[in-house]
Amino acid sequence: MKRIVIFSGSGLSKESGIPTFRDFDGLWQDYDPRELATINALKTNTEKVMDFYNMRRNKMWESFPNAAHQSIIELEKKFEVKVITQNVDNLHERAGSENVLHIHGELSKVRSMIDEELIYSIEEKKDVNLGDLCSKGSQLRPHIVLFGEPVPKIKEAIEIVKTADILIVIGTSLQVYPAAELIEYTKEDCETYIINPEIPSIKKKDNRFFITEKACIGLPKLVHKLLN
Ligand code: NAD
C-alpha cells in the first residue's frame, strides 16, 4: 500500500472558522505574538497567555471539521495515511483521522510547568486559569510549543516524511521553522502537492505540483483524483 503523508497548517482549519496567524485576517493582526506566544511571555505574563489560549481553545470547541479534514479519511480506503500537523486544534481527530502527529502541541491539553510529562486532557470548552495547579502543585500551562521553545516532535516528523510516496502540504505559509523544512526530506520520487490559495515561495521541482485553491475545494478534488 502506498503511503500518503499530509502536512497541514492553519489554512486547513480556516474554513472551519478558526483564524490563521499570518493572513490579512489572521490572529497576528489583532494580537502581538511577542506578548502571547513566546516562552518569555509565559514566564512574565502568565495570565495573559493563559487567557489567549483559553480563547483559542473555546473557539476550537465551537468549530467543526470541514470538507478538507473529512476528505483525508477517504484516502484511507486506498492508502496508508499519516498526518503531521502544525495545527493545535483537534479537527483532524474529530474528522476521524487516527494517525496524527501534532508538532506544535495541542489546545486540548495542558501540562505542568515543572514536569513536562504531566499532561492533562481538556475534552470540553473550559478555561484553565492562573492558580490551576498540577498534582505536584505547580501552575498548569498550555501544551503548546511557544516561540523560543524546542520542537521535540520534529525528528519523528522527519522520519515520517522520508517514508512518503505522496506528500500533501496544505494551508501552511511554510514560514515557521523547523517545520517548514520538512518538505525537503522527501524521497527523490515522492510526488508533492501544495494546496494553498497563495502558494508559498518554495523551490520548484518536477515532482512538486501547486494547487492554488482553498482547502475545501482543492483537497477533495485531489483526493478524488488520487482515488481514481
Ligand atoms: P500561517 O498563518 O503562517 O499561514 C496560513 C496559510 O494558510 C497561508 O499560506 C494562507 O495562504 C493559507 N490559507 C488561508 N486560507 C486558506 C484556505 N482556505 N485553504 C488553504 N490554505 C489557506 O499558518 P501556518 O503556516 O500554519 O503557521 C504555522 C503556525 O500557525 C503553527 O505554529 C500553528 O500552530 C499556528 N496556528 C494554528 C492554528 C490551528 O491550530 N488551527 C491556527 C492559527 C495558527
Side-chain angles (χ1 to χ4, degrees):
M1 213 182 222
K2 282 197 170 182
R3 174 175 283 191
I4 294 190
V5 174
I6 309 281
F7 174 40
S8 63
S10 60
L12 173 63
S13 296
K14 190 167 172 180
E15 288 158 277
S16 291
I18 300 180
T20 61
F21 273 165
R22 291 175 186 75
D23 286 325
F24 71 94
D25 52 353
L27 280 169
W28 293 159
Q29 297 299 323
D30 295 328
Y31 300 96
D32 182 348
R34 286 163 304 184
E35 284 179 20
L36 297 164
T38 64
I39 184 62
N40 191 44
L42 181 69
K43 286 178 187 159
T44 55
N45 210 341
T46 314
E47 189 167 18
K48 205 166 174 185
V49 174
M50 299 299 289
D51 284 348
F52 177 62
Y53 284 97
N54 285 335
M55 182 268 289
R56 293 185 63 196
R57 185 182 312 107
N58 291 339
K59 181 80 191 158
M60 172 186 84
W61 283 115
E62 287 164 5
S63 307
F64 295 91
N66 62 46
H69 295 102
Q70 280 152 0
S71 66
I72 294 170
I73 314 306
E74 293 290 301
L75 286 173
E76 289 173 3
K77 289 180 188 159
K78 204 167 154 187
F79 299 93
E80 191 195 334
V81 181
K82 294 215 173 209
V83 177
I84 301 169
T85 188
Q86 299 169 88
N87 292 350
V88 292
D89 66 52
N90 58 7
L91 299 188
H92 277 297
E93 288 88 345
R94 284 163 59 202
S97 286
E98 284 177 7
N99 231 317
V100 185
L101 181 70
H102 285 269
I103 57 176
H104 288 160
E106 294 172 73
L107 286 170
S108 59
K109 292 178 181 165
V110 291
R111 69 170 189 261
S112 161
M113 286 251 203
I114 55 165
D115 180 354
E116 59 185 35
E117 302 296 320
L118 210 46
I119 300 168
Y120 302 86
S121 291
I122 310 171
E123 297 298 336
E124 58 185 331
K125 199 173 153 186
K126 186 180 151 199
D127 287 351
V128 180
N129 297 314
L130 201 60
D132 289 338
L133 307 180
C134 74
S135 60
K136 291 185 178 172
S138 107
Q139 174 65 41
L140 290 170
R141 59 160 281 182
H143 185 54
I144 298 287
V145 176
L146 299 168
F147 291 112
E149 292 190 300
V151 182
K153 298 247 166 90
I154 197 72
K155 285 192 186 134
E156 195 182 337
I158 289 171
E159 292 313 311
I160 293 171
V161 168
K162 282 181 183 172
T163 67
D165 299 302
I166 297 171
L167 177 67
I168 301 174
V169 180
I170 181 159
T172 172
S173 61
L174 295 174
Q175 284 187 38
V176 176
Y177 285 81
E181 282 166 350
L182 273 180
I183 61 165
E184 304 301 339
Y185 286 91
T186 51
K187 297 186 284 195
E188 275 291 297
D189 61 348
C190 172
E191 283 177 10
T192 300
Y193 295 89
I194 293 122
I195 306 175
N196 194 318
E198 286 176 40
I199 292 298
S201 55
I202 54 165
K203 256 185 270 162
K204 297 215 165 32
K205 288 187 180 176
D206 284 349
N207 51 4
R208 273 187 186 163
F209 306 99
F210 297 91
I211 300 171
T212 41
E213 300 213 73
K214 289 184 176 179
C216 283
I217 303 289
L219 189 56
K221 263 196 216 168
L222 175 62
V223 167
H224 184 75
K225 185 183 138 191
L226 293 172
L227 289 175
N228 294 288

